[in-house]
Amino acid sequence: FSQVKKKLVEEFKKQNFFPDDEYLENGFLALKQYYAVAVIDQLNMHAVSDKVDPFWHMHILFTEQYYNLSMNTLGFYMHHDPLDHDNTDKVDFIVKLYDYTNEVYDKMFSWKDENFYPEQMPRASMVCYHYTGDSSDRCEHIFPIKAEFEDFYKKYSKKVAA
């Protein structure tokens, strides 16, 4: 992640934000935790926090590295879908999805940085989520599909051709 970190620092400086090494390390740890959630709970989508999102965006810009991580480590391409705040139904769902993602974090990790993944986040701070296409036959699943989310998945999850 060294090149991603370098480029991210450049972008933060353009925004007049000068993060220290601890902030950056914690941000990349939070991103890696998000990726781990995507691997362990493949049947469900997850919403990322507005603090982790810049780390994810910058990683995606390094397309070869991101693609290789997705395919070789995660086992699938993890698509990023920004949230359109004019679509209030979708925003309502992403709020629920963020809460669910926090539940999964609490089950998977003994620690998470509340600066990067707070328990509660205002609607206006909801930014995006990921989807993976159909992962139903990839492996045994620790977390079942969240039944109350199935209609949303049918509406907004884009199936990816194999």
Side-chain angles (χ1 to χ4, degrees):
F1 285 89
S2 61
Q3 290 299 313
V4 178
K5 179 180 176 181
K6 180 181 175 183
K7 188 69 173 167
L8 184 62
V9 168
E10 291 173 14
E11 289 301 310
F12 279 150
K13 286 179 180 178
K14 289 177 186 176
Q15 299 168 25
N16 231 11
F17 176 53
F18 303 92
D20 60 21
D21 284 339
E22 181 180 8
Y23 180 89
L24 294 167
E25 291 305 314
N26 288 342
F28 281 111
L29 174 60
L31 178 63
K32 291 172 186 177
Q33 286 177 312
Y34 186 73
Y35 290 164
V37 166
V39 170
I40 301 297
D41 189 13
Q42 291 184 22
L43 293 180
N44 293 294
M45 295 177 183
H46 294 279
V48 71
S49 75
D50 59 343
K51 298 291 187 209
V52 175
D53 194 50
F55 290 82
W56 189 12
H57 280 213
M58 191 54 63
H59 191 209
I60 290 169
L61 291 178
F62 286 80
T63 57
E64 185 176 353
Q65 183 186 71
Y66 183 75
Y67 178 82
N68 288 335
L69 174 90
S70 290
M71 300 308 292
N72 298 330
T73 304
L74 302 176
F76 51 85
Y77 189 81
M78 188 165 71
H79 295 274
H80 173 281
D81 199 3
L83 183 58
D84 175 3
H85 280 265
D86 291 336
N87 185 338
T88 57
D89 288 341
K90 197 170 185 180
V91 173
D92 290 343
F93 177 74
I94 298 304
V95 169
K96 291 178 188 174
L97 197 59
Y98 184 86
D99 291 341
Y100 172 72
T101 302
N102 257 317
E103 290 174 27
V104 174
Y105 264 69
D106 291 341
K107 290 175 184 173
M108 287 181 57
F109 305 113
S110 61
W111 180 84
K112 69 177 176 187
D113 188 331
E114 292 288 329
N115 293 315
F116 285 97
Y117 224 97
E119 283 296 318
Q120 299 293 316
M121 201 163 64
R123 286 175 62 85
S125 294
M126 296 292 166
V127 288
C128 62
Y129 64 97
H130 81 266
Y131 66 93
T132 59
D134 184 12
S135 63
S136 59
D137 59 352
R138 282 199 191 101
C139 63
E140 294 296 317
H141 299 284
I142 296 171
F143 295 94
I145 194 162
K146 188 96 168 145
E148 69 184 271
F149 295 165
E150 286 187 277
D151 287 341
F152 179 86
Y153 292 165
K154 289 175 188 169
K155 186 172 181 180
Y156 292 110
S157 179
K158 299 161 185 86
K159 297 296 179 193
V160 180

